[in-house]
Amino acid sequence: MSDATDATDATDVKEPALREMRWWDIEAVLALEYDLFPEDAWSPGMFWSELAHARGPAATRRYVVAETADGRIAGYAGLAAAGGLGDVQTIGAARDQWGTGLGSRLLTDLLQHATAFECEEVLLEVRVDNPRARKLYERFGFEPVGFRRGYYQPGNVDALVMRLSMRDERRPPNRTPSQGTETHG
């Protein structure tokens, strides 16, 4: 018989903390990127280029990582913003984080920053063969607006383009969608 003190209560497990992505995170983010998107993973240079625009008063990017208590990067996401338009550049959660709400937390962070960047709309592309991601975006109110044929290379996979109006009359002012991000104990 096991001692009750040996059992780990699921409520004791801390969810990964979100923080700004920095250059020293690129190696760990790339490892996750290659695991999640082996055919069309971003290069180190793509992340370096994005982070170059993520700090200072003229910043036009938001990149965030989810870091576990032991320092492991469990997820990441990025947003570009210009001229009232936001674009979710990338979002990924480690496989062991699927179904935990981490994707919702990452997307919520990006949408909060889209509001700070004064974006009126946020666009994204999602692989047509990724129903998990599509459902996440739909829960947040993103709607399909078109396709980009052969967008993801080298697999020649189509992208579904989705759009979210940040000025949606159904949403209270200064609030971003937060479906799936509350924890009830």
Side-chain angles (χ1 to χ4, degrees), residues 55-161:
R55 301 204 78 192
T60 59
R61 305 289 193 273
R62 166 63 175 177
Y63 276 78
V64 60
V65 293
E67 185 175 25
T68 63
D70 64 357
R72 180 178 67 95
I73 300 299
Y76 59 94
L79 174 82
L85 182 64
D87 194 345
V88 174
Q89 299 289 293
T90 187
I91 187 166
R95 295 176 196 277
D96 67 342
Q97 295 293 315
W98 290 2
T100 67
L102 180 57
S104 292
R105 291 179 55 224
L106 290 164
L107 186 55
T108 296
D109 182 272
L110 296 185
L111 295 177
Q112 288 171 340
H113 281 81
T115 299
F117 284 131
E118 299 181 351
C119 296
E120 295 177 16
E121 292 185 326
V122 177
L123 296 173
L124 59 80
E125 291 88 13
V126 60
R127 291 175 65 113
V128 295
D129 61 357
N130 188 345
R132 177 183 296 272
R134 288 175 44 191
K135 287 178 184 174
L136 170 68
Y137 302 137
E138 288 168 357
R139 281 197 321 265
F140 275 77
F142 281 86
E143 298 177 339
V145 294
F147 289 94
R148 296 187 196 275
R149 302 283 177 211
Y151 183 78
Y152 293 99
Q153 294 297 326
N156 203 37
V157 176
D158 295 343
L160 175 64
V161 180

Side-chain angles (χ1 to χ4, degrees), residues 155-171:
N156 203 37
V157 176
D158 295 343
L160 175 64
V161 180
M162 300 182 82
R163 177 180 60 210
L164 174 67
S165 171
M166 299 299 285
R167 304 269 187 232
D168 191 335
E169 296 79 32
R170 297 169 291 180
R171 187 177 314 131

Side-chain angles (χ1 to χ4, degrees), residues 7-28:
T8 302
D9 186 350
T11 59
D12 291 342
V13 178
K14 293 194 179 228
E15 60 186 18
L18 301 187
R19 65 169 175 79
E20 178 184 17
M21 184 189 295
R22 300 299 305 273
W23 64 267
W24 51 81
D25 297 314
I26 291 176
E27 185 176 336

